[in-house]
Amino acid sequence: MTLFDRVFGGNDAVYGLTEAAIDGAIAQYGEDAAVSFPDTAYSLPCYYAVTGSKVTNLKELKAALGVVKTLMTREKRLNDAFMSGVATALCAEFIEVLKYMNGAKPYEEPCYGHLADAIIRELGVPLVTGDIPGVAVILGSAPSTEEAVELVKSYQAQGCLVTLVGGVIDQCVEAGLNMGNAVRIVPLGKDVTAVIHVVSVALRAALIFGNVTPGDAGALMKYTMDRVPAFVNAFKPLDDVIVACGAGAIALGFPVVTNETENIFRVPKSLIVQEDVSKFNATSIEARDIKIKVTKIDIPVSFASAFEGEIIRRGDMQVEFDGSRVDCFELVEAKDASEVEDHKIEVIGPDFDEFEVGSKHSIGYVVEVAGKSMQADFEPVFERKFHNYLNCIEGVMHTGQRDMIRIRVSKNAFDAGFRAKHIGEVLYARIKNEFDAVVDKCQVKVITDPELCTKMRHETAIPLFDKRDDRLATLTDESVDVYYSCIMCQAFSPSHVCVVTPERLGLCGAVSWLDAKATNELDPQGPCQVITKEKPIDERIGEYEDVNEAVKLYSQGALEEVSLYSIMEKPMTSCGCFECICGIEPFSNGVVITNREYAGMTPLGMTFSELASMTGGGVQTPGFMGHGKHFISSKKFMKAEGGIERIVWMPKELKESVAERLNETAKELYGIDNFTDMIGDETIAEDPETLLAFLTEKGHPALGMDPMM
Ligand code: SF4
Ligand code: NI
Ligand code: NI
């Protein structure tokens, strides 16, 4: 048999199964029955991405199968094999979507099946920063459970997102491996067709971040090849269906590494035989040209971004530090070089061994840095990174910031030898690694002595936080001379540029003006560049000649004019990783905001995913705007259209989280008390009529404003 025979044979087999499954579903539900994956704006994302048509019911699905058939040409040329691979993938998507008919929930723990659009949007930032350097797709059963777990953990330790299909899932369950999206190990499903759920992620990334036009299959494949760092590890035995799926993966630019030696054909850099499973990782990383950030830190547990979302339950914790109950704090202080001894880690107070299992204590840690180019403005920028650094430790969970932190250390980490000084080691190593351009020397004090924690919290930390807050309050768009561009997201959204100002942070929520300033000074050729603002064109919408020039330059000409304060006129573009999306609500002359975490309906008749799909890819879309959570309470939020007074609806949780600052702004700008009481949420209204009645009853100011359109 040739490779062609195997691909074509596998494709034909899956096609037959798909046809039977669709016919069966039509017989059962009728051809008008609706079909779609849940929590996506793209219905059947792969079929939509490849063809540009949205399938909505079984009749259309059957017609779509006819389109798939046209891809299944049988000449023995490479392109025919690739297209049959793509056809196999689409058939897999059809088979999978049928499992979701009638609101069924076909997957149960630990398997995920279809992944929501919101999960893909969350992946945006870690993918562009290289925190997720690659996406591994592991298929089939490893020769042994040990080898399965070792391979999965090797990718996890590098920060890769690991997706699992087939027998390897049971092997990981058997070994008791902690799995889930939070630790970047995502079991998709046990049938081989479940592999489509990761293909769907790659193709939606092209639509969401890349502004690829659905149906432009050439652009789609170029996008996945150039920008989605995925690869496949397939264990023997490989049947023809897997070989056909593999052809589809290769068509998208994803190399396949296998230990199958029989009846297999090697294709350099694409289909690679590696008999030694312990070398799958190295072979795959090399084949896909992935660069792994290595962080060597002297601690007894793993350190990787894959552990960032790890949760430590009460029963699993050795010790807890809780700033809401006792005095805790974390702090960065710039010092004179003579006061800092590089790599000195000091523990002041009892170590973890002296605490009872499960007990609560005080902790404080001060990272003291010195360097010729160090500035006080960098202190909070470094400090905000602590959350990420400590969370990346396997077995350590960190929440909060400043003096409201909570840290849990797991029993497993403690048993492995993790102690107070290792917190210092991690902070030292990460600060030196990430900020070496300005930090010449760094030392860390970890304080567990409760009296000293109390004293330092009140006498050192809080006064310093207050001082910083005063500084932040004086930072306005008018008070600074320059803004910054950020093009970090261009890895995925090639023409997207964020303009970051003191009162408008990047839409991902992760880059404030101070962050951008620090990034620029740490890496002058890097993603954040200075933008002057000396030549105003229109102060009302926040348009400047120099900002336009910068945006044109950094978007490679894709974007010519941008305003800072308007959602209607020349609005800023979105990449795809925005925390929130805002869209106009015509009945009330207002805007509705919803956030990634909220999966429910909005009064616009669209969910977050659907709204989010209206914008993105670095394109201007008046009426829709992606933005960070913090921007909601800014005096510059949609200033051109009247500002925050336009906000008529937000999900309850979001509303509560921004209430304090939003109410303050409303009071200051318009003299309104408790403005958030006038804003609707899902418990009040999910449709425009009910919302309008509520707004009228509350006398919401938007009702009296000019229409936006
Ligand atoms: Fe991406 Fe904008 Fe955030 Fe930069 S500021 S990382 S470009 S979303
Ligand atoms: Ni106190
Ligand atoms: Ni982005």
Side-chain angles (χ1 to χ4, degrees):
M1 277 225 290
T2 68
L3 187 60
F4 291 110
D5 295 328
R6 297 200 66 184
V7 171
F8 295 157
N11 181 201
D12 289 338
V14 174
Y15 182 85
L17 289 174
T18 311
E19 192 170 35
I22 295 174
D23 290 342
I26 290 175
Q28 189 178 353
Y29 300 108
E31 58 178 18
D32 293 328
V35 273
S36 169
F37 287 104
D39 305 316
T40 176
Y42 307 100
S43 184
L44 277 68
C46 299
Y47 185 76
Y48 177 59
V50 172
T51 65
S53 327
K54 258 187 207 171
V55 168
T56 62
N57 58 32
L58 286 175
K59 188 174 172 192
E60 290 167 11
L61 189 65
K62 178 89 191 185
L65 191 63
V67 176
V68 170
K69 184 87 192 170
T70 64
L71 300 175
M72 296 164 54
T73 50
R74 292 290 174 258
E75 305 266 343
K76 295 201 171 176
R77 292 171 313 203
L78 214 48
N79 192 53
D80 299 67
F82 285 155
M83 285 306 125
S84 286
V86 172
T88 307
L90 294 175
C91 286
E93 183 173 51
F94 294 3
I95 290 177
E96 287 291 312
V97 80
L98 291 174
K99 295 182 180 173
Y100 286 89
M101 290 260 348
N102 243 344
K105 297 207 164 33
Y107 286 95
E108 48 186 62
E109 280 224 30
C111 294
Y112 279 70
H114 170 77
L115 299 170
D117 289 355
I119 292 188
I120 300 168
R121 291 178 182 278
E122 256 172 46
L123 293 175
V125 170
L127 278 167
V128 297
T129 56
D131 277 340
I132 298 182
V135 179
V137 184
I138 304 180
L139 205 89
S141 299
S144 71
T145 298
E146 292 70 42
E147 283 162 287
V149 171
E150 198 187 312
L151 181 66
V152 170
K153 283 182 123 177
S154 72
Y155 289 125
Q156 185 190 35
Q158 292 165 330
C160 288
L161 174 69
V162 192
T163 60
L164 309 176
V165 177
V168 63
I169 297 175
D170 289 330
Q171 292 179 313
C172 289
V173 169
E174 188 195 318
L177 192 67
N178 177 21
M179 296 192 281
N181 187 30
V183 290
R184 294 200 192 140
I185 302 176
V186 180
L188 295 172
K190 294 179 190 173
D191 299 339
V192 62
T193 48
V195 74
I196 197 63
H197 300 307
V198 57
V199 177
S200 172
V201 170
L203 299 189
R204 273 181 285 166
L207 302 182
I208 290 173
F209 301 113
N211 194 37
V212 168
T213 312
D216 187 347
L220 190 69
M221 288 184 197
K222 182 163 168 32
Y223 185 91
T224 54
M225 169 119 37
D226 293 348
R227 299 179 192 272
V228 181
F231 54 87
V232 180
N233 287 175
F235 291 115
K236 69 180 178 187
L238 300 187
D239 63 26
D240 289 352
V241 172
I242 297 174
V243 172
C245 288
I250 293 169
L252 296 174
F254 308 153
V256 178
V257 174
T258 180
N259 57 344
E260 179 70 276
T261 49
E262 279 174 43
N263 225 338
I264 197 79
F265 308 83
R266 294 159 208 245
V267 183
K269 284 229 130 195
S270 293
L271 182 51
I272 301 160
V273 174
Q274 172 55 265
E275 287 183 57
D276 183 352
V277 172
S278 74
K279 293 190 180 139
F280 267 24
N281 182 309
T283 306
S284 305
I285 297 293
E286 193 197 319
R288 194 69 184 105
D289 279 329
I290 290 173
K291 290 189 185 36
I292 302 289
K293 287 190 196 168
V294 262
T295 326
K296 264 254 154 277
I297 305 180
D298 193 11
I299 54 172
V301 291
S302 297
F303 182 93
S305 62
F307 296 109
E308 219 184 315
E310 180 192 29
I311 294 190
I312 294 161
R313 293 188 179 77
R314 189 165 293 278
D316 298 328
M317 82 193 185
Q318 176 75 23
V319 54
E320 181 176 44
F321 305 97
D322 184 352
S324 68
R325 302 294 192 78
V326 286
D327 290 314
C328 294
F329 64 92
E330 55 184 26
L331 198 60
V332 173
E333 268 191 286
K335 295 265 170 182
D336 191 76
S338 64
E339 298 171 275
V340 181
E341 184 186 324
D342 192 45
H343 205 164
K344 181 174 167 197
I345 314 282
E346 225 181 321
V347 177
I348 307 170
D351 210 336
F352 300 169
D353 313 73
E354 293 169 54
F355 298 140
E356 242 173 77
V357 177
S359 56
K360 256 189 220 314
H361 300 274
S362 291
I363 198 166
Y365 34 91
V366 191
V367 174
E368 296 173 328
V369 295
K372 281 179 286 300
S373 322
M374 181 64 198
Q375 304 177 11
D377 266 354
F378 297 160
E379 290 174 353
V381 172
F382 296 2
E383 212 173 274
R384 274 219 340 237
K385 294 277 187 168
F386 288 2
H387 174 65
N388 164 277
Y389 297 164
L390 296 184
N391 265 325
C392 288
I393 305 170
E394 184 179 16
V396 173
M397 181 170 92
H398 175 283
T399 57
Q401 55 168 334
R402 292 186 161 185
D403 57 344
M404 279 301 145
I405 48 172
R406 189 154 96 182
I407 298 173
R408 284 182 174 183
V409 177
S410 76
K411 288 177 187 162
N412 286 343
F414 177 82
D415 291 344
F418 190 85
R419 296 295 181 269
K421 71 163 189 244
H422 297 122
I423 289 183
E425 286 291 350
V426 167
L427 296 174
Y428 170 80
R430 292 307 301 145
I431 291 284
K432 283 284 283 209
N433 180 298
E434 199 166 340
F435 301 109
D436 62 332
V438 295
V439 175
D440 300 332
K441 293 201 282 182
C442 172
Q443 67 186 16
V444 187
K445 295 190 176 106
V446 181
I447 303 148
T448 53
D449 176 82
E451 270 134 51
L452 188 56
C453 279
T454 297
K455 185 173 153 59
M456 286 194 70
R457 177 185 176 209
H458 292 284
E459 290 175 16
T460 312
I462 292 178
L464 203 78
F465 297 146
D466 288 344
K467 206 171 110 195
R468 284 190 200 152
D469 285 342
D470 293 342
R471 156 94 173 125
L472 277 179
T474 64
L475 276 184
T476 61
D477 287 5
E478 292 76 23
S479 75
V480 298
D481 295 328
V482 297
Y483 300 148
Y484 292 93
S485 59
C486 181
I487 55 162
M488 211 108 77
C489 283
Q490 286 197 354
F492 286 92
S493 277
S495 56
H496 173 70
V497 183
C498 275
V499 179
V500 181
T501 78
E503 291 174 88
R504 181 167 189 170
L505 80 171
L507 54 85
C508 56
V511 181
S512 71
W513 184 83
L514 278 181
D515 294 315
K517 176 173 184 254
T519 304
N520 174 258
E521 290 182 39
L522 294 165
D523 181 5
Q525 310 304 324
C528 295
Q529 296 296 318
V530 171
I531 305 183
T532 59
K533 35 166 289 224
E534 284 155 6
K535 297 180 241 168
I537 298 173
D538 184 347
E539 307 254 9
R540 185 183 61 87
I541 62 169
E543 190 185 5
Y544 296 82
E545 238 173 87
D546 19 9
V547 173
N548 283 344
E549 279 163 25
V551 160
K552 188 171 172 188
L553 176 68
Y554 300 124
S555 70
Q556 288 89 34
L559 200 65
E560 307 221 322
E561 300 175 316
V562 81
S563 75
L564 302 176
Y565 309 136
S566 175
I567 182 179
M568 298 306 292
E569 298 168 60
K570 310 168 188 174
M572 221 183 274
T573 62
S574 301
C575 42
C577 59
F578 38 84
E579 289 185 301
C580 301
I581 175 125
C582 157
I584 53 179
E585 202 290 301
F587 297 98
S588 60
N589 302 326
V591 293
V592 159
I593 302 174
T594 185
N595 56 317
R596 217 158 47 196
E597 293 82 3
Y598 177 70
M601 193 42 80
T602 72
L604 300 182
M606 291 188 266
T607 59
F608 173 85
S609 295
E610 289 162 337
L611 267 167
S613 73
M614 307 292 290
T615 180
V619 181
Q620 282 177 317
T621 38
F624 297 95
M625 174 174 76
H627 58 85
K629 275 185 193 164
H630 249 68
F631 189 46
I632 297 174
S633 53
S634 166
K635 286 180 196 153
K636 298 299 193 299
F637 181 83
M638 286 178 48
K639 178 174 121 342
E641 284 82 24
I644 57 164
E645 265 187 316
R646 292 275 188 186
I647 303 173
V648 294
W649 192 95
M650 277 190 265
K652 196 167 194 303
E653 241 187 81
L654 177 66
K655 189 165 75 175
E656 281 165 6
S657 79
V658 300
E660 196 184 326
R661 299 181 58 223
L662 184 60
N663 286 337
E664 235 170 68
T665 309
K667 178 77 184 167
E668 198 182 325
L669 289 183
Y670 322 106
I672 301 175
D673 285 303
N674 298 322
F675 177 51
T676 45
D677 291 350
M678 297 178 170
I679 300 176
D681 61 44
E682 73 277 19
T683 65
I684 295 163
E686 285 188 333
D687 65 274
E689 293 78 21
T690 319
L691 177 63
L692 195 59
F694 168 82
L695 299 171
T696 309
E697 183 202 315
K698 293 283 176 186
H700 193 291
L703 299 176
M705 298 171 83
D706 291 336
M708 279 194 284
M709 296 195 295

